[in-house]
Each structure stands twice: as structure tokens, then as C-alpha cells.
Amino acid sequence: MAGSTAVSSPEAKPASDHTKAMHAEAVTDLGRLDPDDYERAARGLLATNADDVIDGPFGPAWTTSRHDFVRPEDATRIGPGADWPDAPDTVHPSLWRQAQLNSHHGLFQVDEGLWQVRGYDLSNISFIAGETGWIVIDPLTTSSTAKASLDLINATLGERPVVAVIYTHSHVDHFGGVLGVTTREAAARGEVRIIAPEGFLHEAVAENVIAGPAMARRSNYQFGMLLPSSPTGQVDCGLGIAVPMAGVDLIAPTESITETGQELLVDGVRIVFQLTPDAEAPAEMNFFFPDTGWLCMAENCTATMHNLVPIRGAQARDSLSWSHYIGEARTLFGADTKLVFASHHWPRWGHDDVDGFLRLQRDLYRWVHDQTMRRANHGMTPNEIAEDLSLPSCFSDEAHTHGYYGHLVHNAKAVYQRYLSWYDGNPARLHQHPPTEAGRRYVELAGGADALLSHARAAFDDGDYRWVVEVVNHLVFAEPDNTRARLLQADALEQLGYQSEASTYRNAYLTGAMELRHGSPPARPVRRAGLLDALTVDQVFSTIAVRLRSEDVAGERVSVNWTFPDLAGTDQPTKWLLGLEHQTLHHVAGLHSEDATATITMERALLSRIMGGETTFVDELGSGTITVDGDAGALLTIFGNLDTFESGFNIVEP
């Protein structure tokens, strides 16, 4: 991969006149949005974290004051009557409003026996008082913020042990902080129940390990994680104010919810579950508390239009099923629901408010689905559909259906992709040149770099920033060292970021501008040690197979028997066979081959440490923790030909 090119440029430019004019028009539309959101977001505040900084293992995991620029000067008055600052020219006024709502932080009492800590992570952590301890719903992204939240509620309400953890779904910001509220040992001893929807572990692995390195890099763009928090930088993430900067962990579930209507008694609290697979996450569930009238909608209903496919990458989500599940929740639980809360944003109280919220969220995802496919069946392409669709007033007049996190443009494309694939049917786009080769041809077609830049500069002056980005991108990929091209594309991306109501688009545009000006971040090996301990052997071997440098093992054929004595008595086999053939790895559970090249005996936990980079096969062979019967070179044939993924690969340049 080519190295990144850095150029000297100011950190940020002001908003252009075109951007200011767009924002002036947007301000006039804000009055139709529900002002009660400010009361909902502030309601029930009991305490805030006394420390501005929540420390993590590699430095600050969270700094609350980073986003003081969106809050009132008198930070003690953040309720409906607060003097909230107006949006600057460099932020879409509607996104600024969402950032202000997301800037509330602290321990909130939702109802008698139900609390949330919000504003110290992208997601919320919820606490329910059981008979003997805390039931924790979604322990955030990282143990640092989860522990700070647990400490806050214990300090405010009195210390109680954690007796259960419920993962609503398989996205990392809802399980990655589990070690901040409990331990692996407590779960193994049965002292803490870990409850999750069926398929949770498989989906958590598929998204966060198999595709983890690419997704992590692209997440920098979606969440603006490397941008400074400022009116010209990262302002919000749509679902929450920011993403914490620390590692993630995972404890495998000890109990799975396998069907809708399943009821559990958790520390004296009755909970009725509804499975919602392939909606917001491949494995997800809503649940209802029949004795109190609380409905948890996980991440299926939040105060934003959500993603049908996130720009960081993931499976395209089923918007038709998503809409159906929201309707099903309303049918199953709606009549008895007195409040609804979720894994992001603020709750809603009262039957009428809850019912209106659920109905509009239900119909939003159905509308996007149906209107996309109506146009697709007329032969329109994804780009044409995305340009043609606009939300009707029944959605645009409500804030919680605005695209602060998702965006109608890529949600329509996600629906199309789910049914008709990435290909729009035009054979001219069936096998296009890659960006660098296409870029060289476009530059030649334009009459050279100077002619292309002259045309693009005129388009920039006219405020046609989308076209500037598209045309100059060809020059950047043809000539990545062309400083004028990089700076012009960065300036255009920046204005698009300022104009965007969607936090994800703003963050992506501004991150692209930053990297065009200053280069990509340093490349570092990607490690996922915190997740590996929770994986099955099948999942570990699957992640190993993705790393095989196929071109380096042509003609090789080896097979290795594995024995993991510490898996005896578990639901996993102790015997495994890992084979290399046809430049591909395969594995079989519960089987040893008499013709194996070697037989390895080791602890399963040690395999995680090796794959996480904490130690090596050579070191462990030398220390005697691994025994080999046969040709130890078989290990080198396989594990000596595994690729190393790095975090800082180029995106906006070749």
C-alpha cells in the first residue's frame, strides 16, 4: 500500500457564503421540532461524574468538557430553560440541536427502580434494582466508562452487587465494557447471569473480529474519532456525543433468549423478551417489564433515523423486518407500556407519547423500504433513488426521524443492496477500473491536471461541492502528491461536512479533509485480544483463516490435530483438526486425523494470548506450555504465513 501524503494547510476554513445561506434556511425550520426534547433529555438528573476525565488503559477514555462548546455557559442549568448557544456557521443547526441534547450527562432516574447513566459513552447503561443487586442493561463500549457509571450509581444510591448483565444486541458499544461491571470469574461461577439474544456471540464475532480491522479504520470516519471536538471538527455522533477511546472486552453469554414471548425472572424482576433479528443488528431483542410497564426498545427505536447500513460497514439491515418488529412490540406491549427507554438517547413517558413515537419509528423504516423498492421496480438505480427521495413532512416535522446518524441517501442504497446487490444493472458499471487507473484516465480526458483543477475551482466558487469532490478525487488518485488537488478536495469536503445534518456524513467529510491535509494516521497492528477469550474455537480458527496469505502457501498441504484439555466438560469439543490445502485453511470439530502432520496439546486460553499478540508459539514451545507430537514445522507453515492487519490504511488517497 502506498504511503500517505501530508501537505501544509490551515487546520480548518470558515463556512462559505453558500454554507451560511443553507444554514440560515435550516434555522427557520427548527421551530417545528418538538421543544419537549430538552425536557426529556434533562428529566430525572440526580448526579454527575465529579471527574471531568475518565481514565483508560492508554490515557483518557472520556473527557466530558470536550463538548462544553455546545452547552450553556452555566453548565448547572441544562434543562429546557437554559440559555443554549446558537449554532455556529460551521454546523448544521439541526445537528447542533441534536448535539446539545446528547450533551446531557450523569445519572438519571427514569422511574422508581430504573436508572440510566448517559453522556459518558456513545451508548446508555441502564440499571434496574433487583431483589439483591443491580441488573445492568448494555455495559457500554469500554470497561473504563462502564466502571465509572457503576461507581456513580453506587456512590449516589448505595452500593449493590451486579447480579445480571443483559446485552440487547451484538454491537460493541453494548457489551465492550462488561469487565467494568463484573468479571469473567463471577460469570463462570454463576454469580452473574449474562443474558443475550440467540446468535449474539456469532454476530459479535462476525462484525468485530472477522471484519474488525477494516471496520475499525472506517469507524474513524463515521464517528470522527481523530477529529478535534470543536465547531469546525467533531460535534456529535448522532446516537451520542462521542465514542470513548479505550479497548473492548467480551464475556460470552451464559443464557440465550431463543423465542419471542420467553419470560425470565431475573433477581425477582419479571422480563418478557421479543427477538428482533436482522433489524438494527443481526442479533437483537426488545423486552418488556410487565410489573412496571417499562419497554426497552434496545437500539431499534432511538431519537434519530438509524442506519440501514452504516458507513463504517456492516451487513445491510432488513428495513421491512425492522418496521415489523416495532409494530409487533407495540402490539405485544403497547397497551401496558407507561414509558419506553433505549440504549441511546433519552426515554419517553406516558402512553400517548410512547405510542406516537413507536408508530412514527415503525412507519419511517417501512416508508424508506417501500418507496425505495417502488422506484427500483421502475428501473431507477440506487443513486437515482437516493437523489429522488425526500422525507414527507410527517417525518421531517419530528426530530427523532431526522437522519442524525443514518441518512436517507445511504439508507435507500442499503434497501436496494439488500434486494438487488451493489450492481445497478448497467453493464458499464459491472467491472470498472479501480480508482487509481480510472483517475489517470479522467485526468487525461480533462486535458491534464491544470484544466481539471480550473474546472473544479469554478465549481467550488459556485458552491457545487459534491462535484468538486467527485472530479478532484480522480486527480488525487492519479497524482497523490498534487498539493493543489489535495487542498481543493479538502476544502470541498469541509464545506460538505459543515452543511451535513447527519453526524456520520459530517464526521466522514471532515476526517477526509483532515487526512488530505495532514495524511493518514500511523499504521499500527490491529489487536483484538479483549474479544478473543470469549470466542469458540470454531470462531478463532475462522478469524485465523481470514489472515492467511494465500499466495505464499501455493502447493503446501499440512494438517494439525489440536487438543485443548481445558475444554473438557464444556459444550466445546476438546479435539480439533486444522488443515491447509489448496491455499485455504479449513477446520473440523471433534476430529483428529491419523495422517496429521502434527498434534498440538495446549490450553484454549493460551491460543487467545498468542493470537492477541501477547506471546508466540515459539516462546510457549520453549516454556513447555505447548507440546507437539510430529513435525512442529507444520505450525510455521500455517502461522508463519498469516497476514498482519494495520489500522491506518489509506482511504482518501491511494
Side-chain angles (χ1 to χ4, degrees), residues 186-209:
R189 291 191 300 265
E191 297 170 3
V192 177
R193 300 167 68 176
I194 310 291
I195 303 166
E198 185 177 34
F200 167 88
L201 190 58
H202 170 80
E203 298 301 342
V205 172
E207 181 157 296
N208 295 291
V209 178

Side-chain angles (χ1 to χ4, degrees), residues 583-637:
Q583 298 173 243
T584 305
L585 285 174
H586 60 270
H587 60 275
V588 183
L591 180 68
H592 276 183
S593 171
E594 294 181 358
D595 301 323
T597 316
T599 296
I600 310 296
T601 302
M602 63 183 294
E603 297 289 299
R604 158 66 186 89
L606 181 56
L607 182 60
S608 289
R609 293 182 56 221
I610 293 172
M611 299 315 301
E614 298 176 30
T615 184
T616 67
F617 277 110
V618 173
D619 290 342
E620 297 303 323
L621 283 167
S623 66
T625 56
I626 298 176
T627 61
V628 180
D629 182 15
D631 182 7
L635 276 178
L636 182 61
T637 302

Side-chain angles (χ1 to χ4, degrees), residues 94-130:
S94 183
L95 178 59
W96 184 256
R97 176 186 185 275
Q98 184 78 351
Q100 290 179 329
L101 294 168
N102 281 331
S103 73
H104 293 74
H105 62 91
L107 171 67
F108 298 81
Q109 181 162 12
V110 179
D111 200 11
E112 185 68 32
L114 171 61
W115 298 264
Q116 288 187 313
V117 175
R118 304 197 293 267
Y120 299 122
D121 202 295
L122 182 70
S123 51
N124 302 334
I125 183 171
S126 301
F127 295 91
I128 293 168

Side-chain angles (χ1 to χ4, degrees), residues 307-332:
N307 282 308
L308 296 181
V309 67
I311 62 174
R312 63 180 164 83
Q315 300 175 36
R317 296 157 184 175
D318 186 346
S319 54
L320 185 59
S321 292
W322 196 332
S323 175
H324 164 76
Y325 291 132
I326 297 172
E328 183 181 60
R330 179 173 175 266
T331 299
L332 290 173

Side-chain angles (χ1 to χ4, degrees), residues 28-331:
T28 64
D29 293 333
L30 285 183
R32 70 185 191 277
L33 302 184
D34 189 352
D36 289 344
D37 281 338
Y38 283 89
E39 187 277 331
R40 294 184 186 104
R43 179 171 170 173
L45 179 64
L46 298 179
T48 58
N49 196 318
D51 297 322
D52 176 44
V53 176
I54 298 174
D55 288 322
F58 316 113
W62 187 267
T63 306
T64 308
S65 62
R66 279 178 57 198
H67 292 86
D68 278 352
F69 63 92
V70 307
R71 301 183 177 105
E73 287 189 18
D74 181 1
T76 64
R77 294 192 69 250
I78 58 173
D83 186 17
W84 292 93
D86 293 334
D89 292 335
T90 53
V91 184
H92 191 288
S94 183
L95 178 59
W96 184 256
R97 176 186 185 275
Q98 184 78 351
Q100 290 179 329
L101 294 168
N102 281 331
S103 73
H104 293 74
H105 62 91
L107 171 67
F108 298 81
Q109 181 162 12
V110 179
D111 200 11
E112 185 68 32
L114 171 61
W115 298 264
Q116 288 187 313
V117 175
R118 304 197 293 267
Y120 299 122
D121 202 295
L122 182 70
S123 51
N124 302 334
I125 183 171
S126 301
F127 295 91
I128 293 168
E131 291 180 350
T132 65
W134 296 123
I135 301 167
V136 174
I137 301 172
D138 285 352
L140 304 180
T141 309
T142 181
S143 60
S144 300
T145 53
K147 182 179 184 302
S149 299
L150 179 62
D151 290 346
L152 178 60
I153 193 169
N154 279 336
T156 306
L157 301 178
E159 188 162 349
R160 298 164 63 92
V162 171
V163 295
V165 175
I166 301 175
Y167 301 143
T168 62
H169 62 289
S170 53
H171 292 154
V172 69
D173 53 320
H174 303 273
F175 66 78
V178 65
L179 294 186
V181 298
T182 190
T183 64
R184 300 186 196 281
E185 294 75 18
R189 291 191 300 265
E191 297 170 3
V192 177
R193 300 167 68 176
I194 310 291
I195 303 166
E198 185 177 34
F200 167 88
L201 190 58
H202 170 80
E203 298 301 342
V205 172
E207 181 157 296
N208 295 291
V209 178
I210 289 178
M215 192 175 293
R217 174 70 172 113
R218 289 166 56 135
S219 291
N220 288 336
Y221 275 66
Q222 177 169 327
F223 296 110
M225 295 164 68
L226 302 181
L227 292 171
S229 295
S230 72
T232 57
Q234 193 272 340
V235 169
D236 193 56
C237 287
L239 288 176
I241 198 76
V243 175
M245 303 294 282
V248 301
D249 295 287
L250 175 60
I251 298 177
T254 60
E255 301 175 50
S256 292
I257 302 303
T258 59
E259 61 182 0
T260 293
Q262 185 173 342
E263 182 173 327
L264 294 182
L265 186 67
V266 182
D267 198 32
V269 178
R270 285 200 302 148
I271 310 175
V272 181
F273 294 88
Q274 177 204 11
L275 290 179
T276 64
D278 296 320
E280 190 274 333
E284 190 156 1
M285 59 187 183
N286 303 323
F287 39 94
F288 181 66
F289 299 82
D291 296 325
T292 54
W294 307 331
L295 176 60
C296 177
M297 289 300 291
E299 202 170 320
N300 290 313
C301 288
T302 57
T304 178
M305 178 197 297
H306 213 291
N307 282 308
L308 296 181
V309 67
I311 62 174
R312 63 180 164 83
Q315 300 175 36
R317 296 157 184 175
D318 186 346
S319 54
L320 185 59
S321 292
W322 196 332
S323 175
H324 164 76
Y325 291 132
I326 297 172
E328 183 181 60
R330 179 173 175 266
T331 299

Side-chain angles (χ1 to χ4, degrees), residues 638-650:
I638 295 175
F639 290 90
N641 289 296
L642 298 184
D643 213 344
T644 298
F645 300 131
E646 294 186 331
S647 60
F649 56 78
N650 291 345

